[in-house]
């Protein structure tokens, strides 16, 4: 064996064979790699820190604030290029003429008096070098002053900036100075000021190491706001942050991001970018070319988007908004309910905590038909809106009180006897007036001595004989849900996992898939049910700091008088609704004006019909604008020479000599007319007006949803 402990091929322990001298051996075992093959390098926090430190100045409603550079309110006057060059040439010729007159003495020698006053008499000698230098320097000074004045008059500087070398090369990007430590958001100055320096150091270290994401930053910021408001103790927050770092204060699902993102989000401002405001003369100058974004402060006033199929309602509006609200829910800021047809493109199932697939036997969750309430009157009001809300008089002041009374006369006695609300088949039998269910219900009330509820049941039985009874209509609507496809749903026995919208007190992400194929009428009933339960539950929340939003894709047949009143109450409850329609014809004529007047954000997408455009034009109103009327008047010559000159001009140009008169006046015109909305809007665009919860609003803006 050699000195290094290896055995030679020809030697033994007793008779070792010496090795020949040579280069040192290469070790047989390679060094251990730093990471697994094919693994990317560890993340760097520079990208996150750059995102966090990007300025987000205050801006007008709807402006994408991430890296925004504010523009002036009014468009600066831009002189046309032809006029600019002609003015510069004329100014140069005027300057040349003045200098020629001065140099040749046609204007006198007064401009040489300062020269004679400054130089000594001894310099005024023939062939004096000092005199020649001073005199020509004075000439250059006067010529330079003259050219400066002429250049300012002829706007030579604007020509240089617009057409010279500064316009040829891209503008240099100024290096931004790093923020001061007390102003750097990456160092969490608010935590340090409150005495949580250790927690701030831990979060700053995770940010630098690339362990923090935008959702983590938003979630921990939300938790810190709870500490400041007194809902959570400071010691508990500090201990959680020190123990888990960027993963502290997790969402109940444990998720820290969505499986995939389609739109651009900025969780510092809470905005999602939908597109780019077009550089169009109809848009205010401050909005032109800026990003168009929506946030909770705008969605809290609700949004209605109208456009035909294929105009981009789902892909360009519903999907980005739903994605943004899901991110807000992961950050503990919002609760979202997305309702649409199965496979409509509201996002993958992994992006939601609860997915209710009505009519799908594989659905893990059920939908509570009564909204989780134990009050029969409240359950009757919500269910009546779902079943017969569209049958009420389509007038803003009407209601579905008769349907509510009929349901309350049955739900109250049934719950008193059975301790629960009836299932769909049981409710259908009661509304049909079948003698068996009513007799059984009467027997139970008699045994328990419920005299007041017996009177309710007697009134229901008397109304069954009237020809105008609403019970038959309600029974027909309930029959839409009493189908084999829904046999396993709307269970009231407690054997399923029903979801109730009273859970919106928590940051939950919910998706409800409606059975649109073959059950269109049932889908409309369920959509009205979800909207009614949403408006009833969010207004009763105790903690309204959590933003709640309902995203309803295709609200056909959902807008009722009670729904309009419910949407009006959402703004004060820190909640909002997003509704999409193919056309306003899906809304009753008396409700179109109240609907568009109730919501704060209105969107008309490309392909709108002229009669739909007329409703938007009326709600957007008119504005004062400057109108220019140009009139060409033929010039009539009086003298023979003038007539001859006009004949020559007519022979050359082929037109009679005219004089142009321009009249400028202020007129009141529609911001967007119905014809412009129907025919002048490019494909992939939309006209959107915005209003936030503070009352600040943006006029109708032409937006490119593809930008």
């Amino acid at each position: 064996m050699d000195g290094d402990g290896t055995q030679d091929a020809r030697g033994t322990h007793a008779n070792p064979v010496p090795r020949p001298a040579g280069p040192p051996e290469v070790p047989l075992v390679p060094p251990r790699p730093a990471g697994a093959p094919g693994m990317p390098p560890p993340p760097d926090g520079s990208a996150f820190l750059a995102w966090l430190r990007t300025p987000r100045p205050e801006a007008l409603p709807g402006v994408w604030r991430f890296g925004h550079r504010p523009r002036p309110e009014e468009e600066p006057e831009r002189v046309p290029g032809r006029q600019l060059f002609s003015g510069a040439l004329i100014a140069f010729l005027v300057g040349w003429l003045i200098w020629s007159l001065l140099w040749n003495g046609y204007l006198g020698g007064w401009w040489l008096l300062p020269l004679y006053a400054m130089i000594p008499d001894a310099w005024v000698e023939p062939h004096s070098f000092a005199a020649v230098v001073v005199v020509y320097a004075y000439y250059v000074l006067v010529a330079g002053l003259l050219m400066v004045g002429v250049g300012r008059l002829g706007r030579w500087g604007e020509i240089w900036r617009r057409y010279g070398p500064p316009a040829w090369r891209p503008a240099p990007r100024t290096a931004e100075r790093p923020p001061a430590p007390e102003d750097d958001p990456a160092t969490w100055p608010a935590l340090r000021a409150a005495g949580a320096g250790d927690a701030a150091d831990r979060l700053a270290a995770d940010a630098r190491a690339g362990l923090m994401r935008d959702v983590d930053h938003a979630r921990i910021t939300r938790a810190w706001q709870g500490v400041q408001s007194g809902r959570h103790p400071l010691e508990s927050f500090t201990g959680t942050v020190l123990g888990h770092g960027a993963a502290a204060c997790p969402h109940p699902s444990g998720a820290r991001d969505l499986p995939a993102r389609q739109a651009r989000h900025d969780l510092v401002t809470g905005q999602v970018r939908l597109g780019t405001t077009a550089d169009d003369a109809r848009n205010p100058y401050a909005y032109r070319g800026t990003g168009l974004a929506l946030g909770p402060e705008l969605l809290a006033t609700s949004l209605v988007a109208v456009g035909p199929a294929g105009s981009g309602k789902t892909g360009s509006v519903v999907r980005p908004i739903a994605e943004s609200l899901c991110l807000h829910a992961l950050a503990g800021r919002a609760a979202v309910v997305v309702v649409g047809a199965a496979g409509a493109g509201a996002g993958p199932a992994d992006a939601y905590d609860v997915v209710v697939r009505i009519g799908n036997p594989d659905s893990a969750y059920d939908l509570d038909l009564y909204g989780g309430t134990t009050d029969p009157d409240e359950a009757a009001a919500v269910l009546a809106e779902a079943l017969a809300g569209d049958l009420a008089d389509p007038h803003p002041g009407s209601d579905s009180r008769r349907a509510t009374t009929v349901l309350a006369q049955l739900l109250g006695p049934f719950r008193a006897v059975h301790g629960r609300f009836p299932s769909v088949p049981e409710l259908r039998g009661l509304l049909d007036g079948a003698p068996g269910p009513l007799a059984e219900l009467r027997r139970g009330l008699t045994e328990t001595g419920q005299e007041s509820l017996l009177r309710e049941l007697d009134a229901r039985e008397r109304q069954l004989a009237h020809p105008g009874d609403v019970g038959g209509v309600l029974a027909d609507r309930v029959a839409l849900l009493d189908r084999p496809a829904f046999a396993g749903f709307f269970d009231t026995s407690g054997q399923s996992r029903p979801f109730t919208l009273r859970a919106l007190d928590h940051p939950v992400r919910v998706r409800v898939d409606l059975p649109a194929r073959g059950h269109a009428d049932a889908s409309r009933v369920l959509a009205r049910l979800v909207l009614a339960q949403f408006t009833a539950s969010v207004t009763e929340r105790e903690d309204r700091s959590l933003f709640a939003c309902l995203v309803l894709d295709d609200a056909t047949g959902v807008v009722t008088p009670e729904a309009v009143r419910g949407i009006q109450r959402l703004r004060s409850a820190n909640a909002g609704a997003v509704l999409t329609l193919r056309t306003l014809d899906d809304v009753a004529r008396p409700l179109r004006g109240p609907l568009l007047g109730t919501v704060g954000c209105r969107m008309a997408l490309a392909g709108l019909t002229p009669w739909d455009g007329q409703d938007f034009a009326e709600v957007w109103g008119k504005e004062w604008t400057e109108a220019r009327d140009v009139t060409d008047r033929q010039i009539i010559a009086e003298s023979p020479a003038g007539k001859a000159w006009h004949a020559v001009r007519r022979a050359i140009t082929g037109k009679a000599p005219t004089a142009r008169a321009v009249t400028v006046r202020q007129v009141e015109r529609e911001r967007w007319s119905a014809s412009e909305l129907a025919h002048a809007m490019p494909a992939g665009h939309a006209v959107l007006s915005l209003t936030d919860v503070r009352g600040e609003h943006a006029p109708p803006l032409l937006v490119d949803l593809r930008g």
Side-chain angles (χ1 to χ4, degrees):
M1 181 173 292
D2 296 335
D4 56 357
T6 60
Q7 185 175 1
D8 192 278
R10 295 180 300 168
T12 62
H13 292 84
N15 186 19
V17 178
R19 292 177 179 272
E25 293 183 352
V26 179
L28 300 178
V29 180
R32 184 177 181 179
M39 291 292 293
D44 185 9
S46 58
F48 172 78
L49 294 178
W51 169 83
L52 187 59
R53 291 166 177 164
T54 301
R56 297 168 174 86
E58 293 294 331
L60 298 171
V63 173
W64 174 253
R65 292 172 52 189
F66 180 79
H68 172 64
R69 294 184 179 181
R71 303 181 68 178
E73 293 291 336
E74 299 293 337
E75 182 178 5
E77 182 182 0
R78 183 178 177 89
V79 181
R82 180 178 179 181
Q83 180 180 348
L84 192 64
F85 278 103
S86 61
L89 179 60
I90 293 174
F92 174 75
L93 296 176
V94 170
W96 190 3
L97 176 62
I98 294 175
W99 174 253
S100 178
L101 294 176
L102 291 175
W103 182 262
N104 294 304
Y106 291 104
L107 299 180
W110 54 270
W111 62 286
L112 297 173
L113 294 178
L115 176 64
Y116 296 150
M118 289 185 299
I119 63 176
D121 296 337
W123 285 13
V124 189
E125 295 180 359
H127 309 292
S128 173
F129 180 77
V132 172
V133 172
V134 171
V135 169
Y136 279 96
Y138 182 76
Y139 292 160
V140 172
L141 177 62
V142 173
L145 293 176
L146 182 61
M147 296 305 291
V148 168
V150 171
R152 293 176 63 88
L153 181 64
R155 300 178 180 179
W156 294 358
E158 186 173 352
I159 293 179
W160 176 262
R161 291 187 299 270
R162 191 185 301 184
Y163 302 102
W168 303 343
R169 57 178 179 268
R173 304 184 65 178
T174 58
E176 298 181 358
R177 297 182 179 180
E182 61 274 9
D183 299 330
D184 188 1
T187 61
W188 300 84
L191 274 67
R192 299 183 188 276
D198 295 341
D201 292 338
R202 174 62 191 275
L203 295 176
D206 285 0
R208 290 191 298 270
L211 303 178
M212 183 175 290
R213 311 171 187 175
D214 54 352
V215 179
D216 300 329
H217 180 271
R219 187 183 65 252
I220 296 174
T221 302
R222 167 70 178 178
W224 175 247
Q225 292 173 355
V227 173
Q228 291 178 316
S229 63
R231 295 195 305 268
H232 309 296
L234 177 61
E235 295 77 10
S236 175
F237 172 81
T238 304
T240 303
V241 171
L242 291 177
H244 300 88
C249 311
H251 185 264
S253 65
R256 297 172 60 184
D257 203 350
L258 297 179
R261 298 190 187 185
Q262 184 185 36
R264 293 184 59 188
H265 304 272
D266 182 23
L267 293 181
V268 174
T269 59
Q271 292 181 315
V272 54
R273 180 163 178 161
L274 298 185
T276 304
T277 308
D279 190 4
D280 190 90
R282 289 168 290 195
N283 289 335
Y285 182 74
Y287 278 96
R288 297 179 192 173
T290 63
L292 194 284
L294 298 180
E297 73 283 353
L298 293 171
L299 295 178
T301 63
S302 299
L303 167 68
V304 169
V306 182
S311 59
K313 298 187 301 298
T314 301
S316 301
V317 180
V318 172
R319 176 69 182 272
I321 292 177
E323 192 175 273
S324 174
L325 293 172
C326 288
L327 290 174
H328 282 287
L330 291 179
R333 295 176 175 176
V336 56
V337 180
V338 181
V339 182
D350 297 342
Y352 296 89
D353 304 314
V354 176
V355 179
V356 182
R357 298 183 175 94
I358 301 177
N360 189 342
D362 297 333
S363 177
Y365 290 90
D366 193 3
L367 183 64
D368 193 337
L369 196 64
Y370 301 97
T373 182
T374 58
D375 185 4
D377 293 332
E378 182 180 351
V382 173
L383 191 57
E385 168 64 16
L387 295 176
D390 60 329
L391 300 179
D393 182 15
H395 189 274
S398 64
D399 53 28
S400 54
R401 191 174 306 171
R402 294 177 58 192
T404 303
T405 302
V406 170
L407 289 171
Q409 290 172 345
L410 297 175
L411 296 182
F414 191 94
R415 182 171 179 80
V417 174
H418 299 280
R420 59 177 177 84
F421 288 122
S423 62
V424 171
E426 292 170 337
L427 181 60
R428 181 183 179 183
L430 293 173
L431 290 172
D432 279 333
L438 291 177
E440 181 182 354
L441 193 58
R442 176 179 295 277
R443 186 168 51 254
L445 293 175
T446 304
E447 293 175 356
T448 56
Q450 302 282 347
E451 297 295 336
S452 61
L453 295 179
L454 277 172
R455 289 193 298 269
E456 292 284 337
L457 193 59
D458 292 339
R460 175 85 283 269
E461 290 180 344
R462 287 193 303 269
Q463 293 172 3
L464 286 173
H466 294 174
D469 182 32
V470 188
V473 177
L474 294 176
D476 293 340
R477 288 299 178 90
V478 173
L480 297 174
L481 305 179
D482 190 16
R483 305 298 302 166
F486 310 135
F489 288 86
F490 318 119
D491 180 59
T492 59
S493 62
Q495 299 178 359
S496 62
R497 300 175 61 186
F499 171 76
T500 170
L501 271 73
R502 291 184 177 272
L504 297 182
D505 288 334
H506 309 284
V508 62
R509 303 167 294 167
V510 183
R511 194 185 80 183
V512 180
D513 292 344
L514 300 178
R517 180 176 299 177
H519 301 280
D521 293 334
S523 296
R524 296 189 185 100
V525 171
L526 295 173
R528 287 195 299 269
L529 177 66
V530 174
L531 178 58
Q533 292 183 0
F534 178 81
T535 56
S537 60
V538 297
T539 54
E540 297 177 357
R541 297 182 302 168
E542 296 182 359
D543 181 15
R544 296 186 176 181
S545 62
L546 192 71
F547 176 67
C549 188
L550 172 67
V551 181
L552 183 55
D553 193 10
D554 191 6
T556 302
V558 177
V559 180
T560 63
E562 186 61 32
V564 173
R565 285 193 292 267
I567 294 174
Q568 289 175 344
R569 297 191 296 266
L570 294 180
R571 185 180 305 189
S572 60
N574 192 23
V578 178
L579 309 178
T580 66
L581 293 166
R582 292 188 179 93
T583 173
L584 287 176
D585 288 339
D586 295 333
V587 180
R589 167 58 66 179
L591 293 176
R592 297 179 192 177
L595 174 64
L596 295 177
T598 296
V599 299
C601 304
R602 312 171 190 94
M603 177 182 288
L605 289 93
L608 207 69
T609 58
W611 41 92
D612 285 346
Q614 184 63 39
D615 292 323
F616 279 100
E618 291 178 359
V619 76
W620 282 330
K622 300 180 179 180
E623 64 178 347
W624 288 99
T625 183
E626 186 179 86
R628 299 171 62 90
D629 296 333
V630 180
T631 305
D632 288 337
R633 179 179 57 84
Q634 183 177 356
I635 303 176
I636 300 176
E638 300 293 342
S639 62
K643 294 180 180 180
W645 172 243
H646 286 183
V648 172
R649 288 185 58 182
R650 187 181 297 108
I652 296 175
T653 62
K655 298 179 181 179
T658 58
R660 175 169 295 183
V662 180
T663 303
V664 180
R665 55 193 176 93
Q666 295 289 329
V667 297
E668 192 177 18
R669 291 181 178 175
E670 292 177 333
R671 299 178 184 270
W672 279 84
S673 66
S675 178
E676 290 176 331
L677 290 173
H679 306 294
M681 195 189 312
H685 287 64
V687 177
L688 172 65
S689 64
L690 303 170
T691 304
D692 63 8
V693 293
R694 297 183 301 271
E696 299 182 6
H697 63 278
L701 305 171
L702 180 62
V703 181
D704 185 2
L705 299 177
R706 302 167 300 182

